[in-house]
Amino acid sequence: RVALYRLDGPGAPCLLDASGLVASGEPDARGRFSFSGLGAGRYCLVAALPDDAGSAGASVSGPDEEIVLDARRPAVVLPPLALRPR
């Protein structure tokens, strides 16, 4: 599962609470997902690990920067996220 949260400003922490949640969804069979209808602003993307990640845990690597949308950049294509065992 992936979720998109709004950030309060540049460099603001990504607070995982219901008030900041903008969109969420399930990736398709190939791991692709999209969100539409987003307004200008700063966002952070969060990926939840699947239940079968194992008892040793796993980590998700992907964009660790805030995502900024504005009139000049109304959409962004992110690099693939990778799930790696710890």
Side-chain angles (χ1 to χ4, degrees):
R1 185 144 185 91
V2 292
L4 194 68
Y5 290 85
R6 182 175 291 276
L7 297 174
D8 288 335
C14 187
L15 302 175
L16 306 180
D17 62 12
S19 66
L21 180 64
V22 175
S24 66
E26 294 286 335
D28 67 15
R30 296 185 67 194
R32 296 176 300 191
F33 61 92
S34 66
F35 300 118
S36 59
L38 301 172
R42 296 176 183 280
Y43 301 92
C44 66
L45 180 69
V46 177
L49 298 176
D51 290 339
D52 62 355
S55 60
S59 64
V60 175
S61 64
D64 56 1
E65 300 175 5
E66 58 190 31
I67 299 165
V68 180
L69 300 178
D70 58 29
R72 293 182 309 198
R73 187 179 182 199
V76 62
V77 175
L78 300 173
L81 300 175
L83 178 62
R84 294 187 176 87
R86 286 188 184 169

